[in-house]
């Protein structure tokens, strides 16, 4: 449900606020939600695997810290990709 709701939200945002055509809005929302979330989840899982955290069975303070670091890494890995996707359409966030 998270993927679908994110896809719909970005799609509607592109049409309503960024005034993008239907087909381009659909492509952009797919790239910025589905692809980004897959890359983010892969990064988070790799950080957790390589850190040696057994986050499935134990939730101690150190494991929660590693989960926060993994989420931060996932965000930072995807941020340039999303920024480039917006910049490519001349609709970057700061304009």
């Amino acid at each position: 449900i998270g993927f679908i709701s994110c896809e719909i939200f970005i799609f509607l945002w592109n049409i309503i606020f960024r005034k993008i055509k239907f087909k381009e809005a659909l492509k952009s929302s797919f790239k910025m939600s589905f692809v980004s979330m897959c890359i983010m989840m892969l990064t988070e899982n790799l950080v957790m695997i390589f850190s040696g955290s057994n986050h499935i069975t134990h939730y101690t303070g150190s494991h929660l810290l590693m989960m926060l670091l993994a989420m931060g890494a996932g965000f930072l890995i995807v941020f340039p990709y999303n920024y480039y996707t917006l910049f490519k359409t001349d609709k970057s966030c700061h304009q």
Side-chain angles (χ1 to χ4, degrees):
I1 293 178
F3 284 119
I4 295 169
S5 62
C6 186
E7 183 88 23
I8 291 170
F9 175 76
I10 293 176
F11 174 72
L12 292 175
W13 183 272
N14 285 336
I15 289 178
I16 295 169
F17 295 108
R18 293 180 62 210
K19 308 293 187 217
I20 295 178
K21 294 178 183 176
F22 181 84
K23 190 175 181 179
E24 285 186 39
L26 195 60
K27 280 185 197 177
S28 176
S29 66
F30 179 77
K31 287 178 184 178
M32 292 186 66
S33 62
F34 186 75
V35 174
S36 294
M37 283 188 178
C38 288
I39 293 169
M40 187 181 299
M41 286 193 307
L42 178 68
T43 303
E44 290 171 1
N45 286 328
L46 289 175
V47 167
M48 294 301 288
I49 288 169
F50 288 127
S51 71
S53 295
N54 188 5
H55 63 283
I56 296 172
T57 57
H58 304 294
Y59 288 110
T60 62
S62 63
H63 289 101
L64 292 175
L65 178 62
M66 283 309 302
M67 287 169 56
L68 289 174
L69 290 174
M71 286 188 286
F75 172 78
L76 291 175
I77 291 294
V78 176
F79 183 74
Y81 171 76
N82 284 337
Y83 187 81
Y84 172 75
T85 303
L86 288 172
F87 185 76
K88 194 168 67 172
T89 60
D90 293 329
K91 299 283 185 178
S92 53
C93 297
H94 60 278
Q95 289 180 346

